[in-house]
Amino acid sequence: MSAPSPAPRRRAGAREEISAGGVVYRHSAEGPVVLLIRDGYRNWGFPKGHLEGDEGAESAARREVAEETGLREVVVEATLETIDWHFRARDAVVHKICHFFLMRADRGDAIPQIDEGITDCRWVSFDEARQLLGYANSRAVLDQARRAIADQA
């Protein structure tokens, strides 16, 4: 497992939301490929979502991967970065904290779950994923996942 991420930045008055997700990969003939999802806003990213009740981050990440992609058989291999950011929603500032896990899916087809707001799922090389991801903090998580997979070899 990797070193813990630094403590998230706090902003006074922000409502906190905790999420978890997975950087899901598998080995292909060309090398490792990573799964990206496309949300209803046409942004490419990783499967992720809110923790429910007293659910832990790893359990939530597994559940969200299954709900958004249909992949139910994943192996959690490492804890990745926890990223955070602030955004405005309905005239309130939200502090979003998202815990990520490296997950391997050796089989199964990723199918976008339209009822979850996912419009596409795509297995891509790490280089292509880096180009498709729109946010620097997601690219940092991708880079960490790539290093963790390389360290296993």
Side-chain angles (χ1 to χ4, degrees):
M1 301 281 173
S2 62
S5 300
R9 304 171 310 242
R10 306 266 185 233
R11 187 180 289 176
R15 181 181 82 234
E16 191 172 88
E17 291 184 3
I18 310 292
S19 292
V23 178
V24 182
Y25 82 99
R26 65 174 38 152
H27 294 285
S28 74
E30 294 78 36
V33 291
V34 65
L35 179 63
L36 296 184
I37 60 164
R38 193 171 200 182
D39 64 24
Y41 301 104
R42 303 182 56 82
N43 296 315
W44 289 101
F46 303 116
K48 65 183 179 306
H50 293 94
L51 274 65
E52 295 179 356
D54 61 355
E55 183 178 45
E58 185 176 319
S59 295
R62 284 175 177 275
R63 178 182 49 75
E64 288 293 338
V65 166
E67 286 178 359
E68 294 185 354
T69 71
L71 292 174
R72 303 204 179 285
E73 294 183 42
V74 296
V75 176
V76 175
E77 294 188 336
T79 301
L80 298 173
E81 292 206 29
T82 296
I83 60 175
D84 72 308
W85 63 97
H86 292 86
F87 63 94
R88 191 168 275 293
R90 292 184 217 103
D91 295 327
V93 175
V94 177
H95 180 206
K96 181 80 155 194
I97 299 166
C98 190
H99 304 278
F100 279 99
F101 297 86
L102 179 64
M103 300 177 175
R104 190 184 74 248
D106 294 325
R107 62 179 180 263
D109 294 325
I111 300 168
Q113 302 299 300
I114 303 302
D115 59 332
E116 291 289 326
I118 307 307
T119 62
D120 198 4
C121 294
R122 186 184 297 175
W123 293 100
V124 297
S125 71
F126 276 79
D127 290 337
E128 185 176 353
R130 200 160 205 302
Q131 292 176 343
L132 289 171
L133 291 169
Y135 300 103
N137 58 5
S138 293
R139 289 190 298 274
V141 172
L142 177 74
D143 292 344
Q144 186 185 25
R146 187 179 209 171
R147 287 190 302 273
I149 294 166
D151 288 347
Q152 294 174 359

